[in-house]
Amino acid sequence: MAISLHYTERSNSVPDLRQISRTDSDEHDFLSPNEAYRNIDIFTFLLLAGSFTDSFTNLCRRSVQKKGWKELFIEIRDGLNSDSKSLEKRFMLNRFIQLNFEDFKEKIRQINEEIDNHMSDIPIDWANHYNSETINETYSQVIACRKILSQQRLFYIERGNLPSLLILQQAITDQFLRLIFLYNSNSNLQQIDCLEAFKVLFDHSLIIVGQPSGTECSAVTKYEKTDKYVTIIKTHIICLLDPNRVDKYLKLSNSGVTLYALDNTGGLERGIPLNLMWKKRTITYDKNKTRTFFYMELNDKDHIQLTEMNSKNKPFHNQKLCQLVFHTTFTVNETNIQYSSTLNSSLFGLCSHAMFYPIYLAQIIISEVEQMCNPINSENHARTFTKFINLYHKRVCGIELNCHSREFIEKELHKICTLSYEKVHNISVNIELIQRKPFSFDIYQDILEKLVAQIKLMSNHPFLSMLYNDRLFYGICSDTVDHGLKGNSRQPRLLVRYNKLEDQVKNQKPDIIFVIDDGKLRKACINHKNLADEMSKCFDEATVNIETQLQVLNYDINFSFKNFSWYSDSRLNSNNMVKTDCETIFYSLELLLKNAIQNSRYYRQVPMPSVESDSQTSTEQFCSLHTMIVSLELSGNEDLRAEAFTHLRDTLCQWCVNHGIHGSLSFLPAIDSPEWPDINDTSSILPQ
């Protein structure tokens, strides 16, 4: 069954093409959506998709209107909503506001200069300089551009000295017009030669600029069940023949695009046909120059129906790697020249839920690394794959892995490589044999799924990448680093990291672990669902306790805890009360606990066990034991009232555990209230 994708902007004057002019958008993203910018550190986050709602180009324009970047960031921050995503943007804006704006202007100039270089259009005079060697070199450059643009979907790969697509469009269009001239010269011999030359040219006229991806993930998408099974695939392809110069000679057929699943042998099966239209887009570059491109796309407004079902009546393409195949027919007007060209996309995954993204991302990363590398001997196997994990991290998070993360990953991969070799050959490892026996990177599938999940959490929450860049977040590592803190009560030390790989549950997002050593090692675990709220408290604590001696460890360097205050502002935690109706006000649990402890009327001191550290002798610690009565009256649905009590109990227990408070907690209903299940409960609270 064919699926027709309809576009509301379709032009009436040109039935099969539409003209779009987007002078307000970022033209560079249209031609190079995953460009690898050179080392620009924290400024990378101005360019990352999802960091801000505006493109980099529009941010630059707005900064001029506001007479400064700082003023623009403050305006954007003050206009944010109160949801968690906006809270994370607030963290990032606060960090940008702390920058030295003299350095900032220079970095912005460098970024714009790099974009200008990517959008250059050096003129080529084919009439005077054409030869077969030159056009073959151009075709080689088209192939190289296809390869780079495909690799940039998942990896940080610089384009090097490759020409821009503007230059390639000019070269391919000039060659097309030259072939038209030769064909019309009425020489039969030349016409035969031209026919073959046209075929080669058409095969090199198409480039997939944006390889298939989903709305939430590079290279993987998911389907939704409404009344039908539908999915969203984002991709766009351009033709290097300039419409303004070839329109009277050439007609492009609306492309037949087919969605295939990859079978066990690497072949394609069960195709779903899609109908796409060639459109036109005019871009503006170099201030006032314009250029028009043929292009077609699938975007997040296009819902593709999955019509092929498996034996369980589920989408056949589910839990598979897939591929798009583009078919375009080129027809040269007033001739008998007609040629169909085919171009295959890179692989992408399709699954039922976002929790499965890491599985298919890992498969695709392994597949692409094996295409990019010659067979690797075991001696360099782990090191080579670590390099590509770093390139993936830099591509999706905007920054490289720190050296301690690279060392940890390579060490873990080397263990797997060694064990795999021993298992396959059933021998102890012999270096000479290892050097002669290459094998696949798919031995890393399981650990790569966990690494991808941790990297993806950082890419989904860009402020974590900024913390990582500021050396306040340790990132991927082993829990053995906890014992290197060596803090004490006078100078406690903090480490913020991911949970260790062994503890990471398959198909679940990783947790963030806070480790504090103040003579005793304590840990707190932050779930991704509460990440923004909990980090907000951390930033607020750094602002309030600016003179604290608490240090943050990162590798072998200590940083002040007050550096977390770079992400805070005076309004970040001003809303401690949330009014839910005209009668009830709920306070934040943390504020409730602090007030309760400070204002409690009943307490007694009990001695705590002595604590020893490497840098100080043991001292006797004391804490206060508080007893209080909390009165709570709720009305409404009985099940929800019980759930409210349970939630309050669990949250209070977890807070006490995280802060090393121990004792007991009792929830007892009033004498005249009905008995509620799960409410009569005494929960022990023990320090973690």
Coordinates of all heavy atoms in Angstrom, one line a residue, residues 12-77:
N12 N 0.2 26.3 -6.4 CA -0.7 26.1 -7.5 C -0.1 26.3 -8.9 O -0.5 25.6 -9.8 CB -1.9 27.0 -7.3 CG -2.7 26.7 -6.1 OD1 -2.8 25.5 -5.7 ND2 -3.2 27.7 -5.4
S13 N 0.8 27.2 -9.0 CA 1.4 27.5 -10.3 C 2.3 26.4 -10.8 O 2.5 26.2 -12.0 CB 2.2 28.8 -10.2 OG 3.2 28.7 -9.3
V14 N 3.0 25.7 -9.9 CA 3.9 24.6 -10.3 C 3.4 23.3 -9.6 O 3.6 23.1 -8.4 CB 5.3 24.8 -9.8 CG1 6.2 23.7 -10.3 CG2 5.8 26.2 -10.4
P15 N 2.7 22.4 -10.3 CA 2.0 21.3 -9.6 C 2.8 20.3 -8.9 O 2.4 19.7 -7.9 CB 1.2 20.7 -10.8 CG 1.9 21.1 -12.0 CD 2.5 22.4 -11.7
D16 N 4.1 20.1 -9.4 CA 4.9 19.1 -8.7 C 6.1 19.6 -8.0 O 6.9 18.9 -7.4 CB 5.4 18.1 -9.8 CG 6.2 18.8 -10.8 OD1 6.1 20.0 -11.0 OD2 7.0 18.1 -11.5
L17 N 6.2 20.9 -7.9 CA 7.3 21.5 -7.2 C 6.8 22.7 -6.4 O 5.8 23.3 -6.8 CB 8.4 22.0 -8.1 CG 9.2 21.0 -8.9 CD1 10.1 21.7 -9.9 CD2 10.0 20.1 -8.0
R18 N 7.4 23.0 -5.3 CA 7.0 24.2 -4.5 C 8.2 25.0 -4.2 O 9.3 24.5 -3.9 CB 6.2 23.9 -3.3 CG 6.9 23.0 -2.3 CD 6.0 22.7 -1.1 NE 6.8 22.1 -0.1 CZ 6.7 22.3 1.2 NH1 5.7 23.1 1.7 NH2 7.4 21.6 2.1
Q19 N 8.0 26.3 -4.2 CA 9.1 27.3 -3.9 C 9.1 27.7 -2.5 O 8.0 28.2 -2.1 CB 9.0 28.5 -4.9 CG 10.1 29.5 -4.8 CD 11.4 29.1 -5.5 OE1 11.3 28.2 -6.4 NE2 12.5 29.7 -5.2
I20 N 10.2 27.6 -1.8 CA 10.2 28.1 -0.4 C 11.4 29.0 -0.2 O 12.5 28.7 -0.6 CB 10.3 26.8 0.6 CG1 9.1 25.9 0.4 CG2 10.4 27.3 2.0 CD1 9.2 24.7 1.2
S21 N 11.1 30.1 0.4 CA 12.2 31.0 0.7 C 12.2 31.2 2.2 O 11.2 31.6 2.8 CB 12.0 32.4 0.0 OG 13.0 33.3 0.4
R22 N 13.4 30.9 2.9 CA 13.4 31.0 4.3 C 14.6 31.8 4.8 O 15.6 31.3 5.2 CB 13.6 29.6 4.9 CG 12.5 28.6 4.5 CD 12.7 27.3 5.2 NE 11.7 26.3 4.7 CZ 11.7 25.0 5.1 NH1 12.6 24.6 6.0 NH2 10.8 24.2 4.6
T23 N 14.5 33.1 4.5 CA 15.6 34.0 4.9 C 15.8 34.1 6.4 O 16.9 34.5 6.8 CB 15.4 35.4 4.3 OG1 14.1 35.9 4.8 CG2 15.3 35.3 2.8
D24 N 14.8 33.7 7.2 CA 14.9 33.8 8.6 C 15.5 32.6 9.3 O 15.6 32.6 10.5 CB 13.6 34.2 9.2 CG 13.1 35.6 8.8 OD1 14.0 36.4 8.6 OD2 11.9 35.8 8.8
S25 N 15.7 31.5 8.5 CA 16.2 30.3 9.2 C 17.7 30.2 9.0 O 18.3 31.0 8.3 CB 15.5 29.1 8.5 OG 15.9 29.0 7.2
D26 N 18.2 29.2 9.6 CA 19.7 28.9 9.5 C 20.0 28.1 8.3 O 19.8 26.9 8.2 CB 20.1 28.2 10.8 CG 21.7 28.2 10.9 OD1 22.3 28.5 9.9 OD2 22.1 28.0 12.0
E27 N 20.4 28.9 7.2 CA 20.6 28.2 5.9 C 21.7 27.2 6.0 O 21.6 26.2 5.3 CB 21.0 29.3 4.9 CG 20.2 30.6 4.9 CD 18.7 30.3 4.4 OE1 18.3 29.2 4.4 OE2 18.1 31.3 4.0
H28 N 22.6 27.4 6.8 CA 23.8 26.4 6.9 C 23.3 25.1 7.4 O 23.8 24.0 6.9 CB 24.8 27.0 7.9 CG 26.0 26.1 8.1 ND1 26.2 25.4 9.2 CD2 27.0 25.8 7.2 CE1 27.3 24.7 9.1 NE2 27.8 24.9 7.9
D29 N 22.3 25.0 8.3 CA 21.7 23.7 8.7 C 21.1 23.0 7.6 O 21.0 21.7 7.7 CB 20.7 24.0 9.9 CG 21.4 24.2 11.2 OD1 22.7 24.0 11.3 OD2 20.8 24.6 12.2
F30 N 20.5 23.7 6.6 CA 19.9 23.0 5.5 C 20.9 22.2 4.7 O 20.6 21.1 4.3 CB 19.2 24.0 4.6 CG 18.6 23.4 3.4 CD1 17.5 22.6 3.4 CD2 19.2 23.7 2.1 CE1 17.0 22.1 2.2 CE2 18.7 23.2 0.9 CZ 17.6 22.4 1.0
L31 N 22.1 22.7 4.5 CA 23.1 22.1 3.7 C 24.0 21.2 4.5 O 24.7 20.3 4.0 CB 23.9 23.1 2.9 CG 23.2 23.9 1.9 CD1 24.1 24.9 1.2 CD2 22.5 23.0 0.9
S32 N 24.1 21.5 5.8 CA 25.1 20.7 6.7 C 24.5 20.6 8.1 O 25.0 21.3 9.0 CB 26.4 21.4 6.6 OG 27.4 20.6 7.2
P33 N 23.5 19.8 8.3 CA 22.8 19.8 9.6 C 23.6 19.3 10.8 O 23.4 19.6 11.9 CB 21.6 18.9 9.4 CG 22.0 18.0 8.2 CD 22.9 18.9 7.4
N34 N 24.7 18.5 10.5 CA 25.5 17.9 11.6 C 26.9 18.3 11.5 O 27.8 17.6 11.7 CB 25.4 16.4 11.5 CG 24.0 15.9 11.7 OD1 23.2 16.3 12.5 ND2 23.6 15.0 10.8
E35 N 27.2 19.6 11.1 CA 28.5 20.1 10.9 C 29.4 19.9 12.1 O 29.0 20.1 13.3 CB 28.5 21.5 10.5 CG 29.8 22.1 10.0 CD 30.3 21.3 8.8 OE1 29.7 21.4 7.7 OE2 31.3 20.6 8.9
A36 N 30.6 19.5 11.9 CA 31.6 19.3 13.0 C 32.4 20.6 13.1 O 33.3 20.9 12.3 CB 32.5 18.1 12.7
Y37 N 32.1 21.4 14.1 CA 32.8 22.7 14.3 C 34.1 22.4 15.1 O 34.1 21.5 15.9 CB 31.9 23.7 15.1 CG 30.7 24.1 14.3 CD1 29.5 23.4 14.4 CD2 30.8 25.2 13.4 CE1 28.4 23.8 13.7 CE2 29.7 25.6 12.7 CZ 28.5 24.9 12.8 OH 27.4 25.2 12.1
R38 N 35.1 23.2 14.8 CA 36.3 23.0 15.5 C 36.2 23.3 17.0 O 35.2 23.9 17.4 CB 37.4 23.8 14.9 CG 37.8 23.4 13.5 CD 39.0 24.1 12.9 NE 39.3 23.5 11.6 CZ 38.8 24.0 10.5 NH1 37.9 25.0 10.5 NH2 39.1 23.4 9.3
N39 N 37.2 23.1 17.8 CA 37.2 23.2 19.2 C 36.7 24.6 19.7 O 37.4 25.5 19.6 CB 38.5 22.9 19.9 CG 39.0 21.4 19.6 OD1 38.1 20.5 19.6 ND2 40.2 21.2 19.3
I40 N 35.5 24.6 20.2 CA 34.9 25.9 20.6 C 34.4 25.8 22.0 O 33.7 26.6 22.5 CB 33.9 26.4 19.7 CG1 32.8 25.4 19.3 CG2 34.5 27.0 18.4 CD1 31.7 25.8 18.4
D41 N 34.7 24.7 22.7 CA 34.4 24.5 24.1 C 32.9 24.7 24.4 O 32.0 24.2 23.8 CB 35.3 25.4 25.0 CG 36.7 25.1 24.8 OD1 37.1 23.9 24.6 OD2 37.5 26.0 24.8
I42 N 32.6 25.6 25.4 CA 31.3 25.8 25.9 C 30.4 26.4 24.8 O 29.2 26.3 24.9 CB 31.3 26.7 27.2 CG1 30.0 26.6 27.9 CG2 31.7 28.1 26.8 CD1 30.0 27.3 29.3
F43 N 31.0 27.0 23.8 CA 30.2 27.7 22.8 C 29.5 26.7 21.9 O 28.6 27.0 21.1 CB 31.1 28.6 22.0 CG 31.7 29.7 22.9 CD1 32.9 29.5 23.4 CD2 31.0 30.9 23.1 CE1 33.5 30.4 24.2 CE2 31.6 31.8 23.9 CZ 32.8 31.6 24.5
T44 N 29.9 25.4 21.9 CA 29.3 24.4 21.2 C 27.8 24.3 21.5 O 27.0 24.0 20.6 CB 29.9 23.0 21.6 OG1 31.3 23.0 21.3 CG2 29.3 21.9 20.7
F45 N 27.4 24.7 22.7 CA 26.0 24.5 23.2 C 25.1 25.5 22.6 O 23.9 25.4 22.6 CB 26.0 24.5 24.7 CG 26.9 23.5 25.3 CD1 28.1 23.8 25.9 CD2 26.6 22.1 25.2 CE1 28.9 22.9 26.5 CE2 27.4 21.2 25.7 CZ 28.6 21.5 26.4
L46 N 25.7 26.6 22.0 CA 24.8 27.5 21.2 C 24.4 26.9 19.9 O 23.4 27.3 19.3 CB 25.6 28.8 20.9 CG 25.8 29.8 22.0 CD1 26.8 30.9 21.6 CD2 24.5 30.3 22.5
L47 N 25.1 25.8 19.4 CA 24.9 25.2 18.1 C 24.1 23.9 18.2 O 23.6 23.4 17.3 CB 26.2 25.0 17.4 CG 27.1 26.2 17.2 CD1 28.5 25.8 16.9 CD2 26.5 27.0 16.1
L48 N 24.1 23.3 19.4 CA 23.4 22.0 19.6 C 21.9 22.1 19.5 O 21.3 23.0 20.1 CB 23.8 21.4 21.0 CG 25.1 20.8 21.2 CD1 25.3 20.3 22.6 CD2 25.3 19.6 20.2
A49 N 21.4 21.2 18.7 CA 19.9 21.2 18.6 C 19.3 20.9 19.9 O 19.8 19.9 20.6 CB 19.5 20.2 17.6
G50 N 18.3 21.6 20.4 CA 17.6 21.3 21.6 C 18.1 22.2 22.8 O 17.5 22.3 23.8
S51 N 19.3 22.8 22.6 CA 19.8 23.7 23.7 C 18.9 24.9 23.8 O 18.6 25.4 24.9 CB 21.3 24.1 23.4 OG 22.1 22.9 23.5
F52 N 18.6 25.5 22.6 CA 17.7 26.7 22.6 C 16.7 26.5 21.5 O 16.9 25.7 20.6 CB 18.6 27.9 22.3 CG 19.6 28.2 23.4 CD1 20.9 27.9 23.3 CD2 19.2 28.9 24.6 CE1 21.8 28.1 24.3 CE2 20.1 29.2 25.6 CZ 21.4 28.8 25.4
T53 N 15.6 27.2 21.6 CA 14.6 27.1 20.6 C 14.9 27.8 19.3 O 14.4 27.4 18.2 CB 13.2 27.7 21.1 OG1 13.5 29.0 21.6 CG2 12.7 26.9 22.3
D54 N 15.8 28.7 19.4 CA 16.3 29.5 18.2 C 17.5 28.9 17.6 O 18.3 28.3 18.3 CB 16.5 30.9 18.6 CG 15.6 31.9 17.8 OD1 14.9 31.4 16.9 OD2 15.4 33.0 18.3
S55 N 17.7 29.1 16.3 CA 18.9 28.7 15.6 C 20.1 29.7 16.0 O 19.8 30.8 16.5 CB 18.7 28.7 14.1 OG 18.6 30.0 13.6
F56 N 21.3 29.2 15.7 CA 22.4 30.1 16.1 C 22.4 31.4 15.3 O 22.7 32.5 15.8 CB 23.7 29.3 15.7 CG 25.0 30.2 15.9 CD1 25.4 30.6 17.1 CD2 25.7 30.6 14.7 CE1 26.6 31.3 17.2 CE2 26.8 31.4 14.9 CZ 27.2 31.7 16.1
T57 N 21.9 31.3 14.0 CA 21.9 32.5 13.2 C 20.9 33.5 13.8 O 21.2 34.7 13.9 CB 21.4 32.1 11.7 OG1 22.3 31.2 11.2 CG2 21.3 33.4 10.9
N58 N 19.7 33.1 14.2 CA 18.7 34.0 14.8 C 19.2 34.5 16.1 O 18.9 35.7 16.5 CB 17.4 33.3 14.9 CG 16.7 33.1 13.6 OD1 16.9 33.9 12.6 ND2 15.8 32.2 13.5
L59 N 19.9 33.7 16.9 CA 20.5 34.2 18.1 C 21.4 35.3 17.9 O 21.5 36.3 18.6 CB 21.2 33.1 18.9 CG 20.3 32.0 19.6 CD1 21.1 30.9 20.1 CD2 19.4 32.6 20.7
C60 N 22.3 35.2 16.8 CA 23.2 36.3 16.5 C 22.4 37.6 16.1 O 22.8 38.7 16.6 CB 24.1 35.8 15.3 SG 25.3 34.6 15.8
R61 N 21.4 37.4 15.3 CA 20.6 38.6 15.0 C 20.0 39.3 16.2 O 20.0 40.5 16.3 CB 19.5 38.2 14.0 CG 20.0 37.7 12.6 CD 18.8 37.7 11.6 NE 19.2 37.1 10.4 CZ 18.9 35.9 9.9 NH1 18.2 35.1 10.7 NH2 19.3 35.5 8.8
R62 N 19.4 38.4 17.1 CA 18.8 39.0 18.3 C 19.8 39.6 19.2 O 19.4 40.6 19.9 CB 18.0 37.9 19.0 CG 16.8 37.4 18.2 CD 16.1 36.2 18.9 NE 15.6 36.5 20.2 CZ 15.1 35.7 21.1 NH1 15.1 34.4 20.8 NH2 14.7 36.1 22.3
S63 N 21.0 39.1 19.3 CA 22.0 39.7 20.1 C 22.3 41.1 19.7 O 22.6 42.0 20.5 CB 23.3 38.8 20.2 OG 24.0 38.9 19.0
V64 N 22.3 41.3 18.4 CA 22.6 42.7 17.8 C 21.4 43.6 18.2 O 21.7 44.8 18.6 CB 22.8 42.6 16.3 CG1 22.9 44.0 15.7 CG2 24.0 41.8 15.9
Q65 N 20.2 43.1 18.1 CA 19.0 43.9 18.4 C 19.0 44.3 19.9 O 18.6 45.4 20.2 CB 17.8 43.2 18.0 CG 17.6 42.9 16.5 CD 16.5 41.9 16.2 OE1 15.9 41.4 17.1 NE2 16.2 41.7 14.9
K66 N 19.5 43.4 20.7 CA 19.5 43.6 22.2 C 20.8 44.3 22.6 O 21.0 44.6 23.8 CB 19.4 42.3 22.9 CG 18.0 41.7 22.8 CD 16.9 42.6 23.4 CE 15.5 42.1 23.1 NZ 14.5 43.0 23.6
K67 N 21.7 44.6 21.7 CA 23.0 45.3 21.9 C 23.8 44.5 22.9 O 24.5 45.0 23.7 CB 22.7 46.7 22.5 CG 22.0 47.6 21.5 CD 21.8 49.0 22.1 CE 21.0 49.9 21.1 NZ 20.8 51.3 21.6
G68 N 23.8 43.2 22.8 CA 24.7 42.4 23.6 C 24.2 41.0 23.8 O 22.9 40.8 23.9
W69 N 25.1 40.0 23.9 CA 24.7 38.6 24.2 C 24.2 38.4 25.6 O 23.2 37.7 25.9 CB 25.9 37.7 24.0 CG 26.1 37.4 22.5 CD1 26.9 38.0 21.7 CD2 25.5 36.3 21.7 NE1 26.9 37.5 20.4 CE2 26.0 36.4 20.4 CE3 24.5 35.4 22.0 CZ2 25.6 35.6 19.4 CZ3 24.1 34.5 21.0 CH2 24.6 34.6 19.7
K70 N 24.8 39.1 26.6 CA 24.3 39.0 28.0 C 22.9 39.4 28.1 O 22.1 38.7 28.8 CB 25.3 39.8 28.9 CG 24.9 39.6 30.4 CD 26.0 40.3 31.2 CE 25.7 40.0 32.7 NZ 26.7 40.6 33.6
E71 N 22.6 40.5 27.5 CA 21.2 41.1 27.6 C 20.2 40.1 26.9 O 19.1 39.9 27.4 CB 21.1 42.4 26.9 CG 21.9 43.6 27.6 CD 23.4 43.5 27.5 OE1 23.9 42.7 26.6 OE2 24.1 44.2 28.2
L72 N 20.7 39.5 25.8 CA 19.8 38.5 25.2 C 19.5 37.3 26.0 O 18.4 36.8 26.2 CB 20.4 38.1 23.8 CG 19.7 36.9 23.1 CD1 18.3 37.4 22.7 CD2 20.5 36.5 21.8
F73 N 20.6 36.8 26.7 CA 20.5 35.6 27.5 C 19.5 35.9 28.7 O 18.7 35.0 29.1 CB 21.8 35.1 28.0 CG 22.7 34.5 26.9 CD1 24.1 34.7 27.0 CD2 22.1 33.8 25.9 CE1 24.9 34.2 26.0 CE2 22.9 33.3 24.9 CZ 24.3 33.4 24.9
I74 N 19.7 37.1 29.3 CA 18.8 37.4 30.4 C 17.4 37.5 30.0 O 16.4 37.1 30.7 CB 19.3 38.8 31.0 CG1 20.6 38.6 31.7 CG2 18.2 39.3 32.0 CD1 21.3 39.9 32.2
E75 N 17.1 38.1 28.8 CA 15.7 38.2 28.3 C 15.1 36.8 28.0 O 14.0 36.6 28.4 CB 15.7 39.0 27.0 CG 14.3 39.1 26.4 CD 14.3 39.8 25.0 OE1 14.6 39.1 24.0 OE2 14.1 41.0 24.9
I76 N 15.9 35.9 27.4 CA 15.4 34.6 27.2 C 15.1 33.9 28.5 O 14.1 33.2 28.6 CB 16.4 33.8 26.3 CG1 16.6 34.4 24.9 CG2 16.0 32.3 26.2 CD1 17.7 33.7 24.1
R77 N 16.0 34.0 29.4 CA 15.9 33.4 30.8 C 14.6 33.8 31.4 O 13.8 33.1 32.0 CB 17.1 33.6 31.6 CG 17.0 32.9 33.0 CD 18.2 33.4 33.9 NE 18.0 34.8 34.2 CZ 18.9 35.5 35.0 NH1 20.0 34.9 35.4 NH2 18.7 36.8 35.3

